[in-house]
Amino acid sequence: TCSLLRSPKGFPKLKNDTFLRAARGEETEHTPVWCMRQAGRYLPEFRETRATQDFFATCRSPKLCCELTLQPLRRFPLDAAIIFSDILVVPQALGMEVVMVPGKGPTFTEPLKEVEDLLKLRQKVDVTAELGYVFQAITLTRHSLEGRVPLIGFSGAPWTLMSYMIEGGGSSTMAKAKSWLYRHPEASHRLLRLLADVITDYLVGQVAAGAQALQLFESHAGHLGPELFQDFALPYIRDIARAVKSKLKEEALPLVPMIIFAKDAHYALHDLAQAGYEVVGLDWTIRPQEARAQTGKNVTLQGNLDPCALYAPKEKIGELVKKMLEGFGTQRYIANLGHGLYPDMNPEHVGAFVEAVHAHSRHINKH
């Protein structure tokens, strides 16, 4: 189904809008559910499609991104699709080289070491020229979905991208990146500002291409404490929501719901709930009731089953889902995991999770 590149006009009519309704705080018959990394290595068909291709070459192929995005929907009655891509395409657009090293993960050939290295980055990025392949993948996938479910676009948030660009890859402490925040606060803000501007254009471009919701991943929030988060993460998270919405209005594009997912940032939940996003995503380290208390009544919550719960027997998964739904309530809520699916997970257990959310939330809503 991923063969024709069509224009972003005349998209098929949406048949299941449960996810969008929940995101906007409207009533739903069942709680919608999707999974972070639902297009991933836990699916044999994903490994097969990806086998011959370099990871970032796959990201640059609209046809392959479309195929990988659709694979989980052929297996599970998910309520949303999320475009297959990677957060590190943004540093690539700024002129940095990133390669996927087997067994190690994404690796920058020349990470930022000194403040002077900022001058090597593109200061003005034409997102259509640099990231047009993502926009094409979104348009193609939106047509190929045939209105089955909404399509989510996404980006990494500035601090998370900055940390990768300085660390050169994953890190357990983020000490190099955090040392910039303490030693070079002005240069850090310059870099974060540049990233926020590119991310804004990138997200607006995704909506123009057909994305029906947007998620911002602040995956490395947990490495910051309340002070650093307040100074170097939250202002940019807020700016992105504000700037994206004002540009969508200017360009007469749909005002799509936006989700902020700041992993391990419970200390900031109250602020995140007021940062301009319709949905706040949660990791598994917070109780549903506490999250509701801290975020108030005006945002939808998303999350937050421990991904490792999917290693449990299927009946146990059902019990955990029921408990989670009782904690959050079935309304103003989108079920998800507290982080992405892991590569060694059994697809049948993912199916059990999705079905349990639908069954239990329908039951709770009836009674």
Side-chain angles (χ1 to χ4, degrees):
T1 47
C2 298
S3 55
L4 297 172
L5 262 184
R6 294 179 231 175
S7 76
K9 300 284 170 281
F11 286 127
K13 188 170 165 10
L14 186 58
K15 297 172 192 141
N16 170 4
D17 67 348
T18 315
F19 163 81
L20 293 178
R21 293 171 62 82
R24 293 191 297 252
E26 296 165 15
E27 208 172 307
T28 59
E29 280 178 29
H30 67 264
T31 296
V33 54
W34 66 281
C35 297
M36 291 186 269
R37 292 209 197 112
Q38 61 191 29
R41 285 176 295 171
Y42 74 101
L43 291 174
E45 58 270 35
F46 177 96
R47 294 196 297 272
E48 216 171 287
T49 308
R50 278 271 348 269
T52 54
Q53 279 273 23
D54 163 73
F55 178 80
F56 285 107
T58 304
C59 289
R60 286 190 287 273
S61 160
K63 204 171 159 181
L64 284 176
C65 289
C66 174
E67 168 58 24
L68 294 169
T69 303
L70 294 181
Q71 283 175 352
L73 295 162
R74 296 189 189 121
R75 278 192 186 241
F76 314 117
L78 294 153
D79 292 290
I82 183 164
I83 194 67
F84 176 81
S85 184
D86 194 86
I87 64 171
L88 298 181
V89 300
V90 170
Q92 287 176 333
L94 287 165
M96 294 187 80
E97 192 188 356
V98 192
V99 292
M100 194 57 85
V101 178
K104 188 183 170 203
T107 306
F108 285 74
T109 49
E110 290 179 45
L112 304 174
K113 290 200 170 75
E114 305 301 330
V115 169
E116 296 76 64
D117 293 342
L118 294 180
L119 299 171
K120 296 180 192 165
L121 299 174
R122 280 190 190 106
Q123 302 303 307
K124 272 272 169 266
V125 175
D126 175 346
V127 289
T128 308
E130 301 300 330
L131 296 167
Y133 59 88
V134 179
F135 302 157
Q136 288 173 5
I138 287 173
T139 300
L140 180 57
T141 306
R142 177 85 189 268
H143 282 295
S144 305
L145 274 168
E146 296 174 331
R148 233 183 317 175
V149 293
L151 179 60
I152 304 168
F154 71 89
S155 173
W159 155 248
T160 294
L161 295 180
M162 171 183 173
S163 63
Y164 273 116
M165 290 159 77
I166 294 171
E167 296 290 341
S171 153
S172 58
T173 59
M174 296 292 159
K176 288 180 192 155
K178 285 176 72 176
S179 82
W180 273 54
L181 304 181
Y182 285 110
R183 285 165 45 225
H184 313 302
E186 291 83 6
S188 296
H189 280 300
R190 269 211 315 280
L191 174 54
L192 292 162
R193 176 83 273 146
L194 174 62
L195 283 162
D197 291 345
V198 176
I199 291 162
T200 297
D201 290 344
Y202 179 44
L203 291 174
V204 171
Q206 291 185 45
V207 176
Q212 291 155 291
L214 298 168
Q215 178 154 313
L216 191 67
F217 284 87
E218 189 70 282
S219 312
H220 295 168
H223 293 278
L224 304 175
E227 256 94 58
L228 288 180
F229 189 85
Q230 198 75 36
D231 287 348
F232 294 100
L234 187 63
Y236 299 99
I237 288 171
R238 279 192 189 125
D239 285 356
I240 288 167
R242 201 169 39 230
V244 166
K245 289 179 175 182
S246 94
K247 287 198 170 182
L248 291 175
K249 276 199 186 112
E250 269 167 44
E251 297 179 27
L253 289 164
L255 278 177
V256 303
M258 294 177 72
I259 308 165
I260 176 65
F261 175 61
K263 190 171 178 294
D264 296 319
H266 345 122
Y267 54 79
L269 274 187
H270 176 77
D271 289 328
L272 287 167
Q274 310 194 346
Y277 294 76
E278 285 70 24
V279 183
V280 175
L282 304 165
D283 61 70
W284 67 91
T285 60
I286 184 147
R287 290 191 177 83
Q289 295 84 342
E290 284 175 29
R292 280 277 183 218
Q294 288 184 47
T295 53
K297 299 247 186 306
N298 297 323
V299 294
T300 292
L301 295 178
Q302 174 178 283
N304 72 337
L305 191 72
D306 180 354
C308 291
L310 297 190
Y311 295 123
K314 289 185 195 170
E315 309 71 68
K316 178 71 177 163
I317 294 172
E319 289 166 31
L320 293 166
V321 164
K322 181 169 179 275
K323 196 171 166 209
M324 182 169 81
L325 286 161
E326 286 164 353
F328 282 108
T330 58
Q331 301 298 322
R332 262 204 181 278
Y333 175 53
I334 296 161
N336 205 318
L337 304 172
H339 199 219
L341 286 159
Y342 302 149
D344 64 347
M345 286 179 163
N346 181 341
E348 287 185 17
H349 288 221
V350 178
F353 167 63
V354 173
E355 278 153 31
V357 171
H358 287 161
H360 288 297
S361 62
R362 283 202 171 98
H363 181 81
I364 293 169
N365 284 344
K366 278 205 184 92
H367 301 275

